[in-house]
Amino acid sequence: MSTLALYETMSDLSGQMLEAARANDWDGLCALEHEVASLRDHLVHEDPPALAVALDESTRQRKLALIRKILADDREIRAYAMPWMEDVKHLLSGGARKRAINQAYGMGPR
């Protein structure tokens, strides 16, 4: 797969990740994130010479546009994910706090 094709695929997947975040489909988002990570790893570790290839101007502009889209999608995904992650954090910390209080005052299993 060419470098540009990898970026095209990563861009398509980042769009799907954004749709998953908008739909609160966190399992789907995680699965897509693993796909993107695999492509990124291939790009960086398995095909490093592809990163150094001189590109013609139109290809360079397309690559730049894809990278900008991926970054924009990532920013928007984070806008959806961060409140959800905070809710999960509070839920988990609240449960731990309640268990600690119950254990400290003999109100629950030890």
Side-chain angles (χ1 to χ4, degrees):
M1 181 181 288
S2 74
T3 302
L4 192 60
L6 283 170
Y7 281 104
E8 293 276 358
T9 303
M10 291 169 69
S11 177
D12 291 343
L13 289 170
S14 75
Q16 292 175 39
M17 289 170 62
L18 179 53
E19 291 306 314
R22 286 177 177 155
N24 293 322
D25 178 7
W26 307 117
D27 291 334
L29 177 66
C30 287
L32 291 164
E33 185 177 34
H34 287 294
E35 288 184 54
V36 170
S38 176
L39 292 172
R40 182 203 61 228
D41 290 346
H42 175 75
L43 186 65
V44 173
H45 299 294
E46 296 177 23
D47 199 12
L51 296 174
V53 171
L55 303 173
D56 63 66
E57 185 60 23
S58 65
T59 303
R60 190 180 76 72
Q61 289 298 321
R62 180 64 184 146
K63 180 179 173 182
L64 184 59
L66 291 166
I67 291 170
R68 285 182 176 151
K69 180 197 173 289
I70 291 166
L71 292 173
D73 288 347
D74 183 64
R75 277 190 300 277
E76 192 170 345
I77 290 165
R78 288 178 191 278
Y80 284 100
M82 293 309 289
W84 176 80
M85 290 172 59
E86 283 298 315
D87 289 346
V88 170
K89 182 174 138 184
H90 288 307
L91 178 68
L92 293 175
S93 67
R97 190 176 309 123
K98 182 178 177 181
R99 282 191 302 277
I101 290 170
N102 286 342
Q103 287 178 351
Y105 292 101
M107 299 166 59
R110 292 182 184 238

